[in-house]
Structures are given as C-alpha cells and as structure tokens.
Amino acid sequence: MSPLPLHQQRCEPRAGSPLSVAGQHAMLGQIPGWQVDASVPGGALQRTYSFPDFHRTMAFVNAVAWIAHEQDHHPDMAVSFNRCTLRWSTHSVGGVSLNDFICAARVDALGA
C-alpha cells in the first residue's frame, strides 16, 4: 500500500478480484460518509451529496467529471436539483478496487 493519502494517489489499470469485505471496511475509515453497497456482486462504493441549489450541484458534477477524466475512472451518477449520488466500482475486477477509494477521496478533497 502506498504511503500517500488516498486523495494524492493515482488510479492504475486493475485486474483480478475486487477488494475483500475486510479490505473495503478498512479503507472506509479513510473516507467518512461513504458506504459499500454489498447488494451488488463485488460491491459498489457510494455516497450522496446535498447542495443548496441546482447551480452548486452542477458545479460539483463538473468537478467530479474532471476528476473522472483525469483519473480515467468513471462513476455512475444520479443527479437531481440539489443532490448527486456517486457510485464507484471497477468493471475490470467486478467490484470495488483501490481506484474507487482513490476517486472517492479525491472527490471529498473538493470540499463539497
């Protein structure tokens, strides 16, 4: 594991298996407010953000899009007037990987 905080790490191509449940829970401590949806195979890392208005919601969505593009790792997003739910999973491993935690931490670093 890298000595760098998650938000300073970079996504890399991943293969193999998703993180174990124990590994997922250990990393969740580094990104408060996030949860693993275990109802899907391999899990999905998710969090809902709330905003005071549509303009701020869209500013957040655009910032997340920039992070996703820069890291070449893309979330599922559900966007409404004052909310955005992000779901990260890594298709190449069939569930949650370190990349998902890196991107979640980078989003949190936005200060949303």
Side-chain angles (χ1 to χ4, degrees):
M1 174 155 308
S2 173
L4 292 173
L6 283 170
H7 73 277
Q8 292 179 355
Q9 295 181 43
R10 292 200 51 81
C11 291
E12 299 176 2
R14 305 278 173 197
S17 300
L19 289 173
S20 67
V21 171
Q24 293 172 8
H25 286 287
M27 296 192 84
L28 279 172
Q30 297 179 57
I31 52 169
W34 288 85
Q35 317 174 326
V36 173
D37 177 359
S39 71
V40 295
L45 191 59
Q46 72 177 32
R47 180 175 179 182
T48 298
Y49 292 86
S50 297
F51 302 94
D53 55 44
F54 183 74
H55 183 77
R56 289 188 181 115
T57 303
M58 293 311 297
F60 174 78
V61 167
N62 287 328
V64 171
W66 183 86
I67 289 169
H69 176 72
E70 194 258 340
Q71 293 296 311
D72 196 24
H73 193 63
H74 307 91
D76 289 329
M77 292 189 197
V79 180
S80 62
F81 174 79
N82 64 348
R83 263 183 282 154
C84 179
T85 299
L86 300 177
R87 288 177 60 91
W88 299 94
S89 64
T90 304
H91 300 289
S92 62
V93 302
V96 177
S97 77
L98 177 59
N99 287 353
D100 304 308
F101 284 92
I102 290 169
C103 287
R106 284 176 172 259
V107 168
D108 284 349
L110 293 171

